[in-house]
């Protein structure tokens, strides 16, 4: 038993996860290569290796002839009889080859062949390991900044977080642990090239899968995600179990689950809405937290016209149009948002709604609001869904999902002849 070789192969198998059979094949090939360098040919070389004991033997097959013209391929009858007296002219003799007799160059070439195979197998193992994590999240350790890119250590391989895949405003310190989305893994001669991202929408989805058991088990499905990295994400969820509230499951008790994701994303705001097969209801949900009067959606053209109360227009559009933009990405519809006054002037407001609100009478448009509006025309100050955000007669700008909104002035409505 070749104990030393067996121990070396066992160590390689444990530490580098390289198969013993693969390494034995590499040793056999290296011995054949050494014979070729030593004898000038390897056509008649046979290597026999016991996979259990790691014992090996090298033979050169030579034809028995009366007169030798090619020493590498032929052997005289006299020499052949010394090995086996039963050999005759025309037989093939197996001549043992002593690897110790190989020259320095042949030995060095054999060694390099084995080392090259080890490196190739090690790269292949690492590639396979991270290829399985493609389209998934991994935890990496920040090493250093390389220009505007960041070198990330993932364990057995390094990845480069490029400037385009970084969230603007995020700054990392060396040795800091961060979660990354593996966009693609490529196999190159220098090892696997791993492309990671902090801006990809799927990063949010994978983080929720890690935090929310219902999502991980498939009870709650994340149907669609729209993201502006570093600022806001909108996510539509659906439950396959009528007894499970999809939004509540993702938010968690006291917001524990969603807060864990927000913390990992460095404070990025997340809106979670209910998915609906009805595009009008989906668009209404997507424009949350803004309230909607009506939605007219065209599934074929993928366009929708939305009417919102005057005091909700800025909330529906969002800061720099962000709320409307994310809602459009989330639903896949081109959304046109109008205020109630604009809709009335354009004649787009549904008649049943105008009748219900007392906006249509014998004399036409009255300008009066009912129920939800105070006598001075302002919103009456409280809504159970938004609480104190509206207590002073208008949106106060502190709602966590609509940062930076200005508090609107009170809305006055003037009677017209129309």
């Amino acid at each position: 038993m070749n104990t030393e070789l067996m121990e070396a192969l066992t160590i390689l198998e444990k530490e580098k996860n390289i198969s013993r059979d693969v390494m034995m094949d590499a040793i056999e090939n290296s011995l054949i290569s050494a014979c070729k360098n030593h004898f000038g040919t390897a056509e008649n070389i046979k290597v026999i290796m016991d996979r259990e004991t790691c014992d090996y033997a090298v033979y050169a097959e030579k034809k028995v002839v009366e007169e030798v013209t090619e020493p590498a391929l032929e052997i005289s009858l006299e020499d052949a009889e010394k090995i086996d007296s039963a050999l005759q002219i025309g037989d093939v003799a197996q001549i043992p080859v002593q690897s110790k007799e190989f020259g320095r160059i042949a030995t060095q070439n054999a060694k390099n062949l084995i080392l090259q195979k080890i490196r190739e197998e090690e790269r292949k193992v690492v590639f396979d390991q991270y290829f399985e994590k493609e389209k998934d999240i991994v935890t990496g350790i920040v090493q250093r900044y390389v220009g505007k890119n960041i070198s990330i250590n993932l364990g057995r391989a390094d990845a480069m977080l490029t400037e385009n895949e970084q969230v603007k405003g995020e700054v990392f310190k060396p040795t800091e642990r961060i979660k990354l989305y593996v966009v693609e893994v490529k196999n190159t001669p220098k090892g696997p090239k791993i492309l990671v991202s902090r801006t990809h929408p799927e990063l949010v989805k994978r983080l929720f899968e890690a935090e929310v058991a219902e999502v991980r088990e498939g009870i709650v499905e994340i149907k669609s995600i729209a993201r502006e990295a570093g600022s806001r994400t909108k996510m539509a969820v659906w439950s396959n179990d009528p007894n499970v509230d999809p939004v509540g499951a993702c938010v968690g008790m006291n917001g524990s689950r969603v807060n864990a994701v927000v913390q990992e994303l460095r404070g990025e705001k997340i809106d979670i809405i209910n998915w609906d097969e009805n595009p009008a209801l989906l668009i209404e949900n997507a424009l949350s937290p803004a309230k909607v009067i009506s939605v007219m959606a065209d599934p074929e053209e993928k366009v929708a016209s939305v009417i919102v109360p005057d005091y909700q227009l800025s909330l529906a559009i969002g800061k720099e149009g962000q709320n409307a933009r994310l809602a459009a990405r989330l639903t896949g519809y081109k959304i046109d948002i109008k205020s109630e006054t604009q809709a009335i002037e354009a004649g787009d407001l549904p008649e049943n709604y105008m009748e219900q609100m007392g906006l249509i009478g014998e004399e036409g448009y009255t300008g009066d609001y009912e129920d939800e509006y105070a006598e001075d025309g302002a919103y009456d100050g409280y809504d159970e869904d938004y609480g104190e955000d509206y207590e002073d007669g208008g949106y106060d700008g502190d709602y966590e999902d609509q940062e930076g909104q200005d508090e609107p002035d009170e809305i006055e409505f003037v009677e017209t002849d129309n």
Side-chain angles (χ1 to χ4, degrees):
M1 181 180 292
N2 193 333
T3 307
E4 292 182 359
L5 180 57
M6 185 178 292
E7 289 177 356
L9 294 177
T10 302
I11 292 172
L12 279 174
E13 193 169 28
K14 288 182 178 179
E15 293 185 355
K16 299 185 180 293
N17 200 25
I18 300 175
S19 169
R20 178 182 296 192
D21 289 336
V22 170
M23 290 313 305
M24 286 186 174
D25 289 339
I27 292 171
E28 290 179 0
N29 292 333
S30 69
L31 289 170
I32 293 174
S33 176
C35 290
K36 185 175 182 179
N37 280 280
H38 186 71
F39 299 113
T41 181
E43 295 179 4
N44 60 330
I45 300 297
K46 300 293 181 184
V47 178
I48 300 173
M49 195 165 194
D50 191 318
R51 299 302 172 103
E52 298 296 329
T53 64
C54 291
D55 288 332
Y56 66 91
V58 184
Y59 296 97
E61 294 184 341
K62 296 184 178 183
K63 187 177 181 180
V64 181
V65 295
E66 291 184 357
E67 185 177 350
V68 177
T69 56
E70 296 184 27
L73 302 175
E74 298 173 342
I75 187 174
S76 64
L77 179 60
E78 182 180 353
D79 293 336
E81 289 177 343
K82 294 178 182 178
I83 299 170
D84 188 348
S85 57
L87 291 173
Q88 299 178 0
I89 300 294
D91 291 341
V92 176
Q94 290 188 333
I95 314 301
V97 175
Q98 300 298 327
S99 57
K100 293 180 181 180
E101 298 177 357
F102 292 162
R104 179 181 62 83
I105 296 177
T107 304
Q108 187 65 36
N109 288 341
K111 176 184 175 182
N112 291 339
L113 191 63
I114 295 174
L115 293 175
Q116 181 182 354
K117 187 63 177 179
I118 291 174
R119 287 192 292 269
E120 288 177 359
E121 285 301 312
E122 189 173 9
R123 285 196 294 266
K124 183 177 181 298
V125 168
V126 174
F127 171 77
D128 291 342
Q129 177 183 343
Y130 287 98
F131 185 75
E132 292 177 356
K133 296 181 180 180
E134 194 175 68
K135 313 302 180 186
D136 204 349
I137 57 172
V138 294
T139 300
I141 300 175
V142 177
Q143 291 183 308
R144 65 188 181 278
Y145 277 82
V146 182
K148 294 184 178 181
N149 301 331
I150 305 174
S151 176
I152 309 289
N153 179 261
L154 301 180
R156 298 189 65 181
D158 290 341
M160 192 65 71
L161 182 61
T162 62
E163 182 183 8
N164 293 335
E165 299 296 338
Q166 296 175 34
V167 177
K168 291 182 179 179
E170 279 191 347
V171 179
F172 303 108
K173 298 177 181 178
T175 71
E176 188 174 357
R177 288 182 175 272
I178 59 174
K179 291 189 183 296
L180 304 147
Y181 179 75
V182 181
V183 179
E184 187 179 16
V185 181
K186 295 180 180 179
N187 199 7
T188 68
K190 295 182 179 180
K193 183 179 180 181
I194 306 170
L195 177 62
V196 294
S197 173
R198 286 278 295 175
T199 63
H200 204 286
E202 287 291 311
L203 174 63
V204 180
K205 181 177 180 180
R206 296 301 182 187
L207 288 173
F208 271 100
E209 287 179 354
E211 289 292 335
V212 183
E214 290 84 350
V215 176
R216 192 165 54 251
E217 293 169 3
I219 299 173
V220 174
E221 291 183 38
I222 299 175
K223 290 284 192 176
S224 179
I225 291 181
R227 184 185 184 201
E228 291 190 358
S231 179
R232 180 180 297 276
T233 291
K234 280 186 179 288
M235 184 173 75
V237 294
W238 168 268
S239 176
N240 293 312
D241 187 340
N243 297 320
V244 176
D245 175 22
V247 175
C250 292
V251 172
M253 185 174 292
N254 298 323
S256 59
R257 291 175 171 179
V258 70
N259 285 340
V261 177
V262 169
Q263 185 177 2
E264 179 59 41
L265 297 176
R266 308 296 178 94
E268 182 175 317
K269 295 177 176 62
I270 299 176
D271 295 343
I272 305 173
I273 68 162
N274 283 304
W275 171 270
D276 202 295
E277 294 293 339
N278 186 326
L281 293 177
L282 177 61
I283 292 169
E284 180 181 351
N285 294 341
L287 288 170
S288 174
K291 289 190 172 182
V292 173
I293 292 175
S294 72
V295 179
M296 298 293 291
D298 185 344
E300 294 183 359
E301 298 293 332
K302 290 291 182 180
V303 294
S305 177
V306 179
I307 300 173
V308 299
D310 289 24
Y311 76 98
Q312 293 275 285
L313 182 61
S314 62
L315 192 62
I317 295 173
K319 185 179 180 181
E320 298 178 352
Q322 186 184 67
N323 194 56
R325 188 166 57 249
L326 286 175
R329 290 182 193 171
L330 187 74
T331 60
Y333 277 72
K334 182 179 179 181
I335 301 175
D336 178 28
I337 302 176
K338 293 181 180 178
S339 68
E340 192 170 10
T341 300
Q342 292 170 335
I344 292 172
E345 292 175 353
D348 294 335
L349 201 64
E351 289 188 7
N352 59 347
Y353 175 79
M354 295 182 71
E355 291 175 358
Q356 180 183 356
M357 298 301 294
L359 300 177
I360 297 179
E362 294 180 358
E363 299 180 356
Y365 175 54
T366 66
D368 294 328
Y369 279 87
E370 295 179 355
D371 300 330
E372 293 187 341
Y373 297 89
E375 292 181 358
D376 59 0
Y379 184 61
D380 67 358
Y382 189 79
D383 183 272
E384 61 182 2
D385 291 331
Y386 300 101
E388 297 178 355
D389 286 337
Y390 294 95
E391 284 188 348
D392 296 329
Y395 179 63
D396 69 359
D398 291 332
Y399 185 66
E400 62 177 348
D401 286 334
Q402 285 294 332
E403 180 181 54
Q405 297 289 338
D406 295 327
E407 181 174 344
D409 297 327
E410 292 184 349
I411 301 173
E412 296 183 0
F413 298 90
V414 181
E415 293 186 359
T416 67
D417 294 331
N418 296 324

